[in-house]
Amino acid sequence: MKKMILMALSAALVLGISACANKTAESAVQMDEQELNSKNAPIVTEEELGLRRENLYTEQTTAPVRAEYTSAAPGSAKRFERSYENAPPLIPHSVDGLLPIKKGNNACLGCHMPDVAKSVGATPIPKTHFMDFRTQKMLDHLAEQRFNCSQCHVPQANVPTLVKNTFEPDFRRADEKSKSNLIDVLNEGVK
Ligand code: HEC
Ligand code: HEC
């Protein structure tokens, strides 16, 4: 019986505290509004609360960006320069019919596994993808974490950039623009 009374009491206390907190929050909002109005600051309505110059609720004039992906079939595409040192390379060829990757169906492996890649002119999957990063041991198969290629490798589309990007990669070696050497530099600066 005593226990129940205690529980009821503590529940009341918790409720009381949160009600109090709500009240303070409410009055803080009211104060903000008053302050804003008094300074004649421009009021942004809920409908305008977006980066687009458009009513957020109707979005009548908003159309998705038309993205032109490369249509060149694997084997006839031109590789992209790497975005930065050891960046995952962008997919330069069409991925029509290759995605989505499924548990029993990963077409990428058919051309990119090291034992076949050379014969079809594809870049072989690098050693890092055959390594268990927890134990730092090489595996005799592709690491499970690397199975879903399109999680990291994406095709590039020709679209206007909405925000200008001033990033410029700084390659330490010229050949890093077209291949990776992550397996050799993994512990650089650590060991
Ligand atoms: C029919 C063979 C084939 C298949 C299937 C294939 N690729 Fe390729 N891939 C190539 C070839 C060949 C190249 C070299 C560029 C070219 O000639 O198109 C390439 C290039 C790439 C590159 C660029 C490598 C670099 O060095 O810049 C990436 C990344 C890539 N493919 C990822 C994928 C992914 C992910 C899939 C599955 C969705 C896939 N590929 C399926 C043959 C293939
Ligand atoms: C977790 C992210 C991730 C996944 C998943 C992944 N990759 Fe990579 N991949 C990378 C990164 C990062 C690099 C560059 C650094 C390196 O070599 O590890 C890379 C490099 C590559 C390269 C270039 C190798 C070279 O010598 O220049 C190829 C080809 C490639 N990946 C193919 C694949 C394929 C095919 C799959 C699916 C079976 C895949 N990757 C899955 C992140 C990933």
Side-chain angles (χ1 to χ4, degrees):
M1 191 63 185
K2 253 191 193 162
K3 229 184 188 173
M4 277 183 51
I5 292 172
L6 250 172
M7 270 163 69
L9 267 175
S10 47
L13 196 70
V14 169
L15 284 176
I17 289 173
S18 57
C20 237
N22 275 343
K23 258 214 167 120
T24 3
E26 247 169 52
S27 51
V29 168
Q30 269 167 10
M31 257 172 61
D32 279 355
E33 270 173 18
Q34 274 167 8
E35 209 179 329
L36 276 175
N37 288 341
S38 68
K39 284 184 188 156
N40 279 338
I43 291 170
V44 180
T45 67
E46 206 176 322
E47 286 76 10
E48 299 165 339
L49 267 183
L51 286 176
R52 295 175 184 147
R53 300 260 166 270
E54 166 65 306
N55 182 321
L56 202 60
Y57 288 105
T58 55
E59 295 204 318
Q60 266 166 341
T61 61
T62 312
V65 178
R66 260 191 76 82
E68 303 268 346
Y69 288 100
T70 169
S71 56
S76 56
K78 205 173 159 289
R79 289 175 173 87
F80 293 112
E81 199 171 277
R82 304 288 159 100
S83 308
Y84 50 88
E85 234 181 80
N86 286 318
L90 291 158
I91 307 174
H93 55 69
S94 154
V95 287
D96 277 358
L98 304 177
L99 296 177
I101 291 165
K102 291 194 180 144
K103 192 178 166 200
N105 184 14
N106 186 345
C108 320
L109 300 178
C111 291
H112 285 279
M113 277 306 257
D115 52 344
V116 284
K118 243 198 187 133
S119 61
V120 296
T123 312
I125 300 174
K127 288 202 177 106
T128 45
H129 296 30
F130 293 86
M131 185 175 180
D132 181 341
F133 274 82
R134 291 209 177 136
T135 59
Q136 301 248 329
K137 287 210 172 92
M138 293 308 294
L139 307 164
D140 59 2
H141 55 86
L142 185 79
E144 285 80 3
Q145 295 87 337
R146 305 288 187 159
F147 185 78
N148 188 19
C149 320
S150 52
Q151 179 187 328
C152 306
H153 299 278
V154 290
Q156 196 181 59
N158 194 3
V159 285
T161 40
L162 294 176
V163 179
K164 193 170 179 266
N165 188 349
T166 54
F167 174 77
E168 271 182 39
D170 202 1
F171 294 98
R172 285 176 292 180
R173 281 173 21 190
D175 64 347
E176 283 167 346
K177 288 182 183 172
S178 56
K179 63 180 194 185
S180 67
N181 66 345
L182 189 62
I183 195 79
D184 305 320
V185 297
L186 258 184
N187 290 316
E188 207 175 52
V190 180
K191 273 187 187 165

